[in-house]
Amino acid sequence: MNQRSRKAIGTIATVLFIIAYALVMMAVGGMLVVGRGMAFELPFYAVAGAGWLPVVMALIRWMSKPD
């Protein structure tokens, strides 16, 4: 697979993953965290906000491999 194909697939995968991740984290946050106070909300959203980075970084690393 050449780099151009990997970038196309990786871009679509990244967008779909971020959409799905955001929806899941909103649902989890809505069920478990909202209304419990800032002491619960702030750490949850900080961790959830950074939780997508390792997956997307791995995708970008895969997309940028030379042919």
Side-chain angles (χ1 to χ4, degrees):
M1 181 179 300
N2 62 15
Q3 190 177 27
R4 185 176 179 156
S5 299
R6 282 194 307 270
K7 283 186 178 184
I9 292 168
T11 300
I12 293 168
T14 300
V15 170
L16 292 175
F17 171 74
I18 290 176
I19 290 170
Y21 182 81
L23 291 173
V24 168
M25 287 300 111
M26 284 189 313
V28 169
M31 288 187 301
L32 301 178
V33 180
V34 172
R36 299 184 90 181
M38 189 63 83
F40 287 98
E41 290 180 17
L42 187 62
F44 172 79
Y45 286 115
V47 170
W52 59 274
L53 286 172
V55 175
V56 173
M57 286 170 43
L59 272 170
I60 290 172
R61 209 174 301 123
W62 174 74
M63 288 172 14
S64 63
K65 284 194 317 190
D67 289 339

